[in-house]
Amino acid sequence: MPAEPPSHLTPEEFRAAGHATIDWIVDYLAGIEGQPVSPGVQPGQVRASLPDTVPETGEPFADLLADVERLIAPGITQWQHPGFYGYFPGNSSPPAVLGELLSAGFGVQGMLWSTSPACTELESHVLDLLIDLCGLPDRFRSDGPGGGVIQDSASSASLCAVLAARDRAGGAAALPDLRVYTSSQSHSSIEKDVLVAGFGADQLRSIDTDDDYAMDPVALRVAVEADVAAGLIPCLVVATVGTTSSGAFDPLPEIAEVATAAGAWLHVDAAWAGSAAVCPEYRGMLAGLEHADSYVFNPHKWLLTNFDCSAFFIADRKPLLNSLSVLPEYLRNTVSDSGDVIDYRDWQVPLGRRFRSLKLWFVLRSYGVEGLRAHIRHHVEAAERLTGRISSNPRLRLAAPVSLALLCFSHVDGDAAGEELLAALNATGEVLLTHTRLSDRHVLRVAIGGSRTTSDHVDRLADLLDELA
Ligand SMILES: *Cc1c(COP(=O)(O)O)cnc(C)c1O
């Protein structure tokens, strides 16, 4: 038996490999525009190219990086390509990557305050900074009954809201009588979360939208009142600010009135649009948020921070902790027992958690308020220009009001022509768009928001639309 573990990379080898890796990333990003956005590989092709055993003895790091270049990079969908307009783009940036790297270097697991005090305290601090940065209600601050937490995804954050709302309204005993309300345009994660939380599909009420795809608050009121009259308990209303299909803003003040009157939890999902609140001129979409019990938005979508980084805020942490605190003996410690600290394990479904706040902190400090606002504004302005180009193209028709930097349009010749146009655009390799359906029509979506997407790139997309539509 060796007395010490076999030496692996020496510190100097690690340093050199690290420098080489950063060099590789910088070169990759510098050359990304020369790559097709979609990799064009067949199912199974990447896997078939990979070495199929773990080597008996370790390989030099240079070989691993070479295989990333040779085998992995060609199978990547280039989310950081400036022509990526699909779904909602996922942001990344140099400070975020470096923050992520430091997090990996620390290798801490921040389930309890005591398992890494700085991991917990930086997270609380950065989320309070987001409240100032985005003009969010003070009730979400960590020095009151509420507070913020970083989750892996908006789906997980919304699940926490569903669980807290369910239990506040009576939990398992009341479950059969509880009802949840969200619009027919809300994200699929809401339906999934409700099912995971033990509700039946029929306990989720899908509320109609108006002509602009925003929740109709009158339809909400009618549904809630009918359920109350039938002896049921409305426990949760989920409103969306910036729906996934078309970017519609549900009217929060009217929805909050209905939720409050019924004693229901109000959760607001602004996964994508929430980042735009760094600009004061876009904060109107969040009017009424001061009545919400919880709120989520994803810096990993549009705030220059790489996945995963979802900011979840809650006005009163007690119901959440009641739902999620299960304390085994092996996690007990004096400082937690004193109640003086936050243990974020109780604010999420998993026990373990990554040190995610570092990358967000780096982004906020590295860009500053001005830099973050410029990022959003540039995309919104590019969307306005593209709107002009699409409006003047007789073969295209806007399918919904343009929302921030999301445009939805269809082909005047119908669904088949729209599908052909989408395929032709994506076949250029210069851009990637995705589609949705609105009012049962095929709709192309352009979500402008990539970290590297500029108005020049969007102008190029407009030219492609003129050529190919
Ligand atoms: C993207 C999106 C989600 C899901 O986000 P994840 O972080 O991937 O779970 C939820 N809601 C809305 C409105 C979204 O746009």
Side-chain angles (χ1 to χ4, degrees):
M1 285 285 280
E4 290 173 28
S7 83
H8 192 47
L9 292 187
T10 65
E12 284 315 312
E13 285 167 342
F14 179 24
R15 191 187 306 279
H19 290 166
T21 303
I22 293 287
D23 283 346
W24 193 91
I25 295 171
V26 172
D27 292 343
Y28 161 74
L29 291 171
I32 200 168
E33 280 189 65
Q35 306 289 323
V37 191
S38 295
V41 295
Q42 296 305 312
Q45 187 181 330
V46 174
R47 178 141 192 212
S49 74
L50 303 174
D52 51 14
T53 54
V54 177
E56 272 310 306
T57 56
E59 299 176 72
F61 186 80
D63 291 3
L64 311 190
L65 210 46
D67 275 1
V68 167
E69 167 104 25
R70 199 167 59 91
L71 307 177
I72 302 299
I76 293 282
T77 300
Q78 318 282 359
W79 280 70
Q80 299 311 310
H81 194 294
F84 190 102
Y85 302 104
Y87 314 101
F88 286 117
N91 276 186
S92 181
S93 65
V97 170
L98 297 174
E100 187 81 276
L101 185 60
L102 282 167
S103 167
F106 283 129
V108 306
Q109 208 273 54
M111 56 189 173
L112 301 169
W113 177 88
S114 58
T115 61
S116 200
C119 178
T120 295
E121 294 192 15
L122 182 63
E123 186 161 331
S124 305
H125 187 65
V126 167
L127 286 165
D128 280 350
L129 293 178
L130 281 185
I131 291 174
D132 298 329
L133 180 69
C134 297
L136 303 180
D138 282 337
R139 66 194 317 218
F140 294 139
R141 279 185 198 284
S142 61
D143 57 2
V149 58
I150 301 179
Q151 305 244 349
D152 58 358
S153 63
S155 308
S156 298
S158 295
L159 175 59
C160 289
V162 173
L163 296 172
R166 178 196 69 186
D167 294 348
R168 192 181 74 169
L175 187 59
D177 290 338
L178 303 183
R179 292 295 179 274
V180 177
Y181 308 79
T182 196
S183 96
S184 54
Q185 291 290 317
S186 80
H187 190 266
S188 57
S189 59
I190 304 304
E191 181 181 352
K192 188 170 177 174
D193 291 339
V194 166
L195 296 176
V196 169
F199 292 84
D202 58 340
Q203 289 174 273
L204 176 64
R205 305 285 194 228
S206 176
I207 305 300
D208 284 342
T209 59
D210 63 18
D211 293 344
D212 291 340
Y213 306 106
M215 190 195 288
D216 175 359
V218 176
L220 174 67
R221 185 185 300 276
V222 168
V224 165
E225 288 177 356
D227 282 341
V228 170
L232 302 171
I233 306 167
C235 73
L236 170 66
V237 178
V238 180
T240 313
V241 172
T243 57
T244 310
S245 268
S246 71
F249 301 146
D250 289 349
L252 293 187
E254 289 89 337
I255 291 170
E257 216 180 288
V258 178
T260 306
W265 187 287
L266 175 60
H267 174 60
V268 176
D269 175 5
W272 160 68
S275 292
V278 299
C279 303
E281 66 269 32
Y282 304 131
R283 288 181 192 159
M285 66 186 177
L286 294 179
L289 188 61
E290 64 278 11
H291 304 298
D293 295 285
S294 54
Y295 174 66
V296 63
F297 85 97
N298 285 349
H300 68 230
K301 273 185 173 155
W302 202 10
L303 209 60
L304 293 159
T305 309
N306 60 294
F307 190 85
D308 53 357
C309 186
S310 186
F312 178 56
F313 297 92
I314 194 152
D316 180 4
R317 64 178 90 154
K318 241 186 284 103
L320 184 70
L321 302 193
N322 287 343
S323 299
L324 295 175
S325 300
V326 177
L327 181 61
E329 183 57 32
Y330 47 79
L331 292 179
R332 292 198 68 158
N333 64 89
T334 329
V335 63
S336 289
D337 287 347
S338 76
D340 291 341
V341 296
I342 284 178
D343 288 328
Y344 275 129
R345 70 180 187 109
D346 297 331
W347 295 55
Q348 60 175 27
V349 173
L351 171 64
R353 54 203 327 279
R354 300 174 356 87
F355 195 170
R356 297 190 190 90
S357 56
L358 259 181
K359 60 185 172 186
L360 182 54
W361 192 45
F362 275 22
V363 166
L364 301 185
R365 294 184 61 180
S366 179
Y367 284 87
V369 177
E370 279 182 18
L372 298 168
R373 287 180 180 162
H375 169 68
I376 299 287
R377 284 178 181 143
H378 189 81
H379 289 151
V380 176
E381 281 159 23
E384 280 164 13
R385 277 170 49 170
L386 183 61
T387 303
R389 295 281 298 270
I390 288 175
S391 304
S392 58
N393 186 328
R395 295 177 303 283
L396 303 177
R397 186 165 46 211
L398 288 172
V402 175
S403 175
L404 298 169
L406 174 66
L407 295 91
C408 292
F409 58 95
S410 52
H411 198 290
V412 291
D413 292 342
D415 288 4
E419 285 163 26
E420 262 172 52
L421 172 60
L422 180 62
L425 287 162
N426 290 344
T428 64
E430 288 187 63
V431 295
L432 187 152
L433 278 64
T434 54
H435 79 284
T436 188
R437 288 193 85 76
L438 290 172
S439 304
D440 207 28
R441 287 209 56 184
H442 177 272
V443 168
L444 291 88
R445 291 170 74 262
V446 177
I448 300 168
S451 312
R452 313 171 73 82
T453 303
T454 68
S455 55
D456 288 346
H457 297 110
V458 178
D459 287 347
R460 173 63 189 150
L461 170 61
D463 293 343
L464 285 174
L465 283 171
D466 285 344
E467 263 170 54
L468 298 170

